[in-house]
Amino acid sequence: MIDNLLLGFSALMTPMALLAVFAGVTGGVIIGSLPGLTSTMGVALLIPLTFSMPPEAGLAMLGGIYLASTYSGSISAILLNIPGTPAAVATLLDGHPMSQKGQSMRALALATFGSSIGGILSVIALFLIAPPLADFSLKFGSPEYFLLAIFGITVIASLSAGAMIKGLIAGLFGLLLSTIGAHPVTGDVRFSFGSPILYDGIPMVVSLIGLYSIPEVIAMISRKQVKIEESSKTPPRSALSFLPEALAQRVNILRSSLIGIIVGIIPGVGCSVGGFLSYDAAKRASREPQAFGKGSPEGIIASETANNAVTGGTLIPLLTLGIPGNPVTAVLLGGLMIHGLRPGADLFTLNAEITYGFILSLLVANLLFVPIGLFFARYCAKVIQIPTAILAPCILALAVIGSYSIRSSLEDSLIMLFMGVVGFIMTFFAVPRAPLVLGLVLGTLAESELARSLALVQGDVLAFATQLVTRPICIVLLILCAYALYQGIVQHRRNSNLLDT
Amino acid sequence: MRLDQKRESLFCGLAFLTAAALILASLGYDIESAYFPLLLSLLMGVLAIALFVQTLMPHSKETAKAQTEAADQSDRDQNDKDRAVMRDQLIGFFKIFVAVLAYIAGIQLTNYTVATLAFLILMMGMLGTHKVLHLALVAAGMTALLSYLFFTFLGVTPPEGLMAFG
């Protein structure tokens, strides 16, 4: 393991890789603090930029965007009472009241240090848990991989906020979109409508750009922009002077990190849930629970530490089993694939240099967003005021040129637009997009492993079904799929009962 | 039928039609290559029907509550608001769809620089920026930035327009 770490360290210590981390963190801080721009959209839009970079630099940049944008949602939450990302909603409860008391820098510093420590602890967990889990994945055969793909989609669909059937339909549609192009075993081209550009299927990155940029821009221009007043002027006190106050909350930080990591490992739960769970745990454990909601430093640290600890947690199932825990990691999986990397044991052995370089880059990113975030916070109010009329066309131009750049084809820009239409229809009908993304990402894996499994039993469906119920890992996965669906049904019933009462 | 029910029913219809179209298309391929999409489409069609049934048969209390509320003025106001939001979303969608389509066609017809400048200026103007200096500066800056990032820094070949402007 030490050898692999050294390999990763040498891969990271190149000017290109370090510059990529810096650019990713800076971009992530800006994207996360702009309300309406999500981490997913940021990562999706910037994947084309990493296309021609070396994999370690490209992944370092994407990782930097992910971590920094998760953290920086807190900046606008604290200063302006607007969470830049859903992850920062719990931070808003105490961050803004503290800011209103004229302690903006204190709130920002506590949020930043909490995020950084939570992020670092989660990367350590990733480093310790991922390699053995990846080794375990060697025991997986085709039927297990097929069920793993199905499990990923089932979990996300069942957690689709009380819209399980819609989530399942979205997941199925994503799987169907992934079947466009050549069959992984027979090579027959399907649903291409005679267009050679579709022979290789719908390019994943292009789809993700469309799914996440077009609907966001439509939402942006459909709502009126509100003039934001800064709640208080940033006081001159140095942010570093609040570091001892943050470090004094060791128990809170450790508890919140643990909650964040566990929440991250469970697919589909997400940063905002992690933030709320640890906020609640901190409130229960606090000697001053009455201070929560009125500018409690414990509340800020709990939610920020947890939501950044989620980031490392989500990468554990992603890098080891190829199961993305949330839309951002689904997009990151696309980023891994365009660099020719496949999650699993190979990532930690054959591609150890790139993988460990990526993990170390996350550590660097977690440290780097402290100075960048605190510096940016001073100018945040002005940047956030960029009018929609300027921001929206710039995002669209970036989306069109970004999707063109993947294969130097304007037809890809048209595919991006088509996926944008799909994304809009989904948001219009309140259908979650995450299951579709997962279906799209995991579809090829599901179909190819199903085809291989069937080929191994000479197409005998009964023999394949017998395999599914006799192989130990398959049984566990089937139970997990059933449990996920059961949970979805229970949640749906609970929502219906709430409506009834 | 309430507005949200209408919307759900419309979604079910769309999902069912998509599933039906995909089933028909799948039948045109060799079964060895088409069983997976065929199975998925069938499942999607079944789920669309299930969602439609669920939409039409809400819980009895909910129905009663909805019927009582239907008469309520505030509920009607909420429906009007929802309609207005939906209208704004559809108008926004139409604007963006046409603008992006025109932009892609513009790149194909002219070249990247001309089309991007024109797209940014027209789009910003349409969305409410009327200061000419702002328009020109942002459009030129963004066009140059994207050009540098993709065509110089990353070495992507710029799109070739039918009419070459250089």
Side-chain angles (χ1 to χ4, degrees):
Chain A
M1 192 178 271
I2 299 294
D3 291 348
N4 287 334
L5 261 182
L6 288 173
L7 271 175
F9 188 73
S10 66
L12 181 65
M13 285 301 133
T14 60
M16 180 72 165
L18 290 173
L19 192 68
V21 182
F22 179 79
V25 169
T26 309
V29 166
I30 296 170
I31 288 165
S33 61
L34 289 169
L37 295 195
T38 58
S39 311
T40 317
M41 178 181 162
V43 176
L45 274 175
L46 294 176
I47 279 184
L49 282 181
T50 70
F51 201 54
S52 56
M53 290 181 184
E56 54 274 17
L59 293 177
M61 186 169 161
L62 296 177
I65 298 169
Y66 177 31
L67 301 188
S69 58
T70 305
Y71 144 72
S72 67
S74 66
I75 298 177
S76 52
I78 290 168
L79 293 179
L80 308 163
N81 204 25
I82 305 169
T85 54
V89 177
T91 311
L92 184 142
L93 300 175
D94 282 292
H96 191 63
M98 188 183 272
S99 179
Q100 281 177 316
K101 291 177 192 167
Q103 299 173 2
S104 304
M105 188 47 84
R106 184 182 173 208
L108 285 167
L110 293 177
T112 308
F113 295 133
S115 295
S116 178
I117 297 168
I120 288 170
L121 289 176
S122 76
V123 174
I124 293 170
L126 167 69
F127 175 71
L128 294 174
I129 300 172
L133 196 59
D135 278 345
F136 177 70
S137 73
L138 283 174
K139 294 186 174 134
F140 283 38
S142 291
E144 283 83 5
Y145 272 113
F146 168 68
L147 280 180
L148 200 59
I150 300 299
F151 171 60
I153 295 157
T154 315
V155 169
I156 303 290
S158 68
L159 290 167
S160 301
M164 192 181 76
I165 298 184
K166 281 183 178 176
L168 286 171
I169 290 175
L172 286 171
F173 189 60
L175 284 170
L176 278 162
L177 284 175
S178 77
T179 63
I180 293 175
H183 185 274
V185 174
T186 65
D188 282 351
V189 178
R190 300 152 306 167
F191 311 119
S192 69
F193 307 106
S195 168
I197 200 90
L198 290 175
Y199 285 2
D200 290 333
I202 290 191
M204 196 189 304
V205 176
V206 171
S207 314
L208 295 171
I209 294 174
L211 269 175
Y212 281 95
S213 63
I214 302 276
E216 307 301 338
V217 170
I218 292 169
M220 215 183 267
I221 68 163
S222 303
R223 60 177 174 247
K224 304 276 178 286
Q225 196 167 17
V226 184
K227 185 81 182 164
I228 301 159
E229 295 294 330
E230 205 180 350
S231 60
S232 63
K233 296 221 181 294
T234 311
R237 199 174 154 191
S238 159
L240 268 183
S241 62
F242 297 106
L243 184 59
E245 186 184 356
L247 291 177
Q249 294 195 34
R250 283 181 293 273
V251 178
N252 188 7
I253 286 176
L254 283 175
R255 182 183 50 234
S256 306
S257 299
L258 195 65
I259 292 174
I261 293 164
I262 293 169
V263 165
I265 293 173
I266 304 167
V269 184
C271 294
S272 50
V273 176
F276 273 114
L277 283 179
S278 61
Y279 181 87
D280 184 54
K283 191 176 176 181
R284 284 171 199 272
S286 174
R287 286 181 194 156
E288 296 175 79
Q290 71 282 0
F292 278 69
K294 296 170 191 159
S296 161
E298 288 174 88
I300 297 172
I301 287 184
S303 80
E304 274 307 303
T305 305
N307 71 32
N308 262 67
V310 170
T311 55
T314 55
L315 292 172
I316 294 172
L318 178 82
L319 296 181
T320 55
L321 303 169
I323 298 291
N326 58 20
V328 198
T329 44
V331 179
L332 272 176
L333 181 59
L336 280 175
M337 284 170 167
I338 64 165
H339 285 289
L341 302 167
R342 194 183 155 164
D346 283 357
L347 215 51
F348 293 86
T349 50
L350 293 177
N351 301 306
E353 190 178 346
I354 298 168
T355 310
Y356 283 92
F358 173 55
I359 294 175
L360 286 174
S361 79
L362 299 174
L363 273 183
V364 176
N366 273 308
L367 291 170
L368 203 55
F369 71 60
V370 175
I372 294 175
L374 290 172
F375 174 78
F376 176 77
R378 292 175 183 273
Y379 307 99
C380 173
K382 285 192 174 64
V383 176
I384 288 174
Q385 290 283 31
I386 294 174
T388 301
I390 290 176
L391 199 57
C394 292
I395 291 171
L396 290 175
L398 182 58
V400 170
I401 300 302
S403 46
Y404 163 82
S405 73
I406 305 287
R407 294 189 289 189
S408 297
S409 162
L410 278 174
E411 280 167 309
D412 279 345
S413 301
L414 285 173
I415 294 175
M416 184 278 296
L417 182 61
F418 167 74
M419 290 306 292
V421 174
V422 171
F424 169 73
I425 291 172
M426 293 181 76
T427 48
F428 187 77
F429 289 111
V431 181
R433 280 172 289 174
L436 185 140
V437 174
L438 279 177
L440 197 59
V441 169
L442 297 173
T444 313
L445 176 76
E447 186 175 24
S448 56
E449 297 300 345
L450 176 65
R452 266 186 217 119
S453 305
L454 284 170
L456 286 172
V457 289
Q458 284 82 42
D460 186 345
V461 179
L462 196 66
F464 172 63
T466 312
Q467 274 192 342
L468 291 186
V469 293
T470 50
R471 292 167 75 119
I473 299 174
C474 282
I475 295 171
V476 173
L477 287 167
L478 276 175
I479 292 171
L480 289 173
C481 285
Y483 181 71
L485 285 174
Y486 168 75
Q487 276 292 93
I489 293 166
V490 169
Q491 196 167 341
H492 177 76
R493 286 207 177 140
R494 203 175 291 156
N495 288 346
S496 305
N497 287 339
L498 281 176
L499 273 174
D500 276 354
T501 49
Chain B
M1 199 184 260
R2 297 197 316 264
L3 188 65
D4 57 334
Q5 279 181 312
K6 278 184 195 163
R7 195 159 27 170
E8 295 286 279
S9 307
L10 190 59
F11 171 72
C12 296
L14 266 178
F16 185 78
L17 283 178
T18 309
L22 287 168
I23 290 168
L24 284 177
S26 301
L27 291 173
Y29 301 107
D30 182 26
I31 190 69
E32 238 180 81
S33 310
Y35 67 88
F36 190 60
L38 193 62
L39 198 71
L40 295 173
S41 313
L42 279 169
L43 204 53
M44 190 166 138
V46 171
L47 284 174
I49 294 169
L51 184 63
F52 183 64
V53 172
Q54 197 183 76
T55 307
L56 287 187
M57 295 196 305
H59 289 206
S60 52
K61 283 183 193 171
E62 194 189 337
T63 319
K65 187 183 168 200
Q67 280 167 354
T68 321
E69 282 177 354
D72 190 41
Q73 182 60 38
S74 65
D75 216 43
R76 264 183 250 151
D77 290 347
Q78 187 57 45
N79 263 359
D80 289 344
K81 273 183 197 163
D82 288 347
R83 270 202 191 92
V85 170
M86 279 165 64
R87 197 181 51 234
D88 285 350
Q89 283 177 332
L90 287 171
I91 292 170
F93 165 69
F94 185 71
K95 277 183 192 169
I96 297 296
F97 181 76
V98 172
V100 174
L101 203 59
Y103 177 37
I104 297 169
I107 297 175
Q108 189 90 64
L109 278 173
T110 59
N111 64 13
Y112 159 76
T113 312
V114 173
T116 307
L117 273 173
F119 168 75
L120 288 173
I121 290 172
L122 290 174
M123 193 76 192
M124 283 189 279
M126 188 176 80
L127 293 176
T129 307
H130 298 303
K131 290 177 185 166
V132 180
L133 189 66
H134 278 188
L135 279 176
L137 277 176
V138 174
M142 189 66 190
T143 307
L145 178 72
L146 287 179
S147 173
Y148 174 75
L149 271 178
F150 287 99
F151 308 135
T152 309
F153 180 67
L154 298 177
V156 176
T157 313
E160 279 180 28
L162 293 176
M163 289 182 269
F165 284 91

